[in-house]
Amino acid sequence: MALTTLYVELLSFACLLAAIHGVNGRAVNQFPEDFLLGAATASYQIEGAWNEDGKGENIWDHMLHEHPEYGNNGENGDVACDSYHKYAEDVQALKDLGAKVYRFSISWSRILPTGDLDVINQAGIDYYNNLINLLLENGIEPMVTMYHWDLPQALQYLGGWPNPILADYFLEYARVLFDNFGDRVKWWLTFNEPYTFTRGYASSGSQAPSQNAPGIGDYLAAHTVIRAHGMVYRLYDEQYRPTQNGKISITLNCDWFEPYNDLEETLEAQERMFQFQLGLYANPIYVDGDYPAVVRERVDNNSRAEGRPRSRLPSFTEEEKRMINGSADFFGLNSYTTMLVISAALGHSPSMDLDCGVLRIINFTWPSSSAIWLKVVPWGFRNIVNWVSSRYPNYPIFIAENGYADTGELDDEGRISYYGQYLAELLKAINEDGANVIGYTAWSLLDNFEWNSGYSQKFGIYQVDFDSTERTRTPKASTSFLANIYRNMSVPEEYFQ
Ligand SMILES: *[C@@H]1O[C@H](CO)[C@@H](O)[C@H](O)[C@H]1NC(C)=O
Ligand SMILES: *[C@@H]1O[C@H](CO)[C@@H](O)[C@H](O)[C@H]1NC(C)=O
Ligand SMILES: *[C@@H]1O[C@H](CO)[C@@H](O)[C@H](O)[C@H]1NC(C)=O
Ligand SMILES: *[C@@H]1O[C@H](CO)[C@@H](O)[C@H](O)[C@H]1NC(C)=O
């Protein structure tokens, strides 16, 4: 072999190596060694047993019992996946999946039926103790969401999240959780998707508690939630971290917003959309203790123009800003899809939509799922992970939700394709772009009760037979696909071509 040929071959070998290795020397399709891969659920969507063993009524029980027409065909979470009785099967399903972490939520009214400390329901505490212990026996880390939308109805009778005193109630509930579970639970999330659940104070008919106070109730609720989050973080940091040594954060939802065109006003609209949805929460917690300037200015301006003596968006005190600034150990992110955005005056006065002034458009040429809003746009996932990584650079990211909806078939090729592509884009963000991502919990472990869509949209890695009283769990094709990824800690190379 001539020397020149050898040289050329060495060169192409080097190029090949560069192609399959990311910036950090790891193969592009390989997760970091200590990366946590797992699956997620939420109490109201899976537990059922809505009034068993002393559980109190929550706002979803209440809304869907009073207004079955707000649900899909009158469906509700009364039984759901019956995980209250079948949690051992859920743990087995996680084990078969090769999950290292299980993100589930605790039902506040199962622990504190009145929302307050006057009644502590031991049966509720026992249920979560059994689940947590079984997870740990099977080598699966519990990650607990304290609030996944199911407020005790007793606290809604006080006005719910727009009432500032709710932050105190939440703090006391959190203390019960740390006292009872914190010796074993090392991953905590205070709230799931406040952007979504605060809409329950902006309109009727969709999110519980279905209170129609747009542009006011939603901001008041957000304000209490951010304060409550900060208070619980400080409580953990000061009183529990020294002995329990876990991590605590919040999980915020944001899809990628792609500008409809490259006009300056469209790029400004893109930035506004990020700030009204994600920055509203992330700026106080991860940047400086306060709302983003563009949000502050636009809501103040509109409030003034409406002749109001105060802004519809409340203000934090200096002390609250110091308490909230930096109140997280990592950045929890839920993300599913991409939408196009363009500047537009839309929405009624007052409303957050009008304050934000951005129209979100679905690009119907993008591949579909069974949910109209969920288009399959893998490159957008890489973009949003990189956006979060560059805007909030000091915090590792944990992807707390990401997944695909279909109609529940066992041969779920669409879900396999979604996870293959999205996880490949996530790995490019980690290994090529340098994003610090530490974990991923797929939504969802089980087909479950999908809020207003009832049982019509299936996000599960496992099928659940809702026609059978057994609520039989059956693996889908995606179960073994993900199990191979989870065991191997790598995504098949074909998803990188
Ligand atoms: C917020 O916290 C960060 C880091 O903890 C600090 O650098 C920054 O100065 C704080 N901002 C304000 C306004 O206090
Ligand atoms: C707020 O109102 C002032 C005066 O009407 C106007 O000059 C400014 O552009 C407005 N700002 C925003 C963000 O709308
Ligand atoms: C919609 O998606 C198609 C297919 O990816 C793309 O060609 C088109 O440019 C998109 N439209 C907009 C406005 O971005
Ligand atoms: C694990 O990855 C290797 C290399 O990418 C592949 O050959 C193998 O089939 C994978 N194993 C499983 C169980 O997926």
Side-chain angles (χ1 to χ4, degrees), residues 287-289 321-322 325-326 394-395:
V287 179
D288 63 6
K321 286 182 197 168
R322 278 192 297 277
N325 184 20
N394 302 321
Y395 296 88

Side-chain angles (χ1 to χ4, degrees), residues 465-477:
D465 182 357
F466 294 102
D467 294 328
S468 152
T469 53
E470 293 303 307
R471 293 297 192 273
T472 314
R473 280 89 162 127
T474 308
K476 301 182 184 179

Side-chain angles (χ1 to χ4, degrees), residues 84 87 91 104 106 110-111 121-137 142 144 176-185 188:
Y84 185 69
Y87 68 90
V91 175
F104 63 96
I106 289 184
R110 198 180 287 290
I111 304 273
N121 183 29
Q122 189 57 43
I125 293 177
D126 293 346
Y127 169 65
Y128 294 110
N129 268 330
N130 291 339
L131 171 60
I132 290 164
N133 292 340
L134 195 57
L135 287 168
L136 290 171
E137 278 165 32
V144 170
V176 172
L177 301 188
F178 296 145
D179 282 340
N180 282 282
F181 310 122
D183 56 334
R184 286 151 296 149
V185 172
W188 295 99

Side-chain angles (χ1 to χ4, degrees), residues 406-413 415-416 447 460-464 472-479:
D406 59 18
T407 48
E409 53 274 22
L410 288 177
D411 187 13
D412 56 342
E413 289 304 318
R415 181 166 293 100
I416 288 177
D447 288 345
I461 300 164
Y462 285 85
Q463 186 189 67
V464 175
T472 314
R473 280 89 162 127
T474 308
K476 301 182 184 179
S478 63
T479 315

Side-chain angles (χ1 to χ4, degrees), residues 169-245:
Y169 282 89
F170 187 69
L171 183 74
E172 287 143 15
Y173 162 57
R175 194 192 295 276
V176 172
L177 301 188
F178 296 145
D179 282 340
N180 282 282
F181 310 122
D183 56 334
R184 286 151 296 149
V185 172
K186 303 303 164 189
W187 294 90
W188 295 99
L189 293 164
T190 52
F191 292 97
N192 177 71
E193 298 191 6
Y195 172 80
T196 311
F197 78 73
T198 55
R199 288 197 317 221
Y201 297 92
S203 66
S204 48
S206 51
Q207 281 286 323
S210 192
Q211 301 295 301
N212 199 0
I216 305 173
D218 38 5
Y219 291 127
L220 291 178
H223 197 71
T224 310
V225 164
I226 295 165
R227 283 178 48 248
H229 165 81
M231 287 161 61
V232 168
Y233 180 85
R234 297 301 162 201
L235 172 72
Y236 189 77
D237 205 39
E238 286 153 25
Q239 295 183 27
Y240 293 92
R241 194 193 299 278
T243 51
Q244 299 188 346
N245 202 25

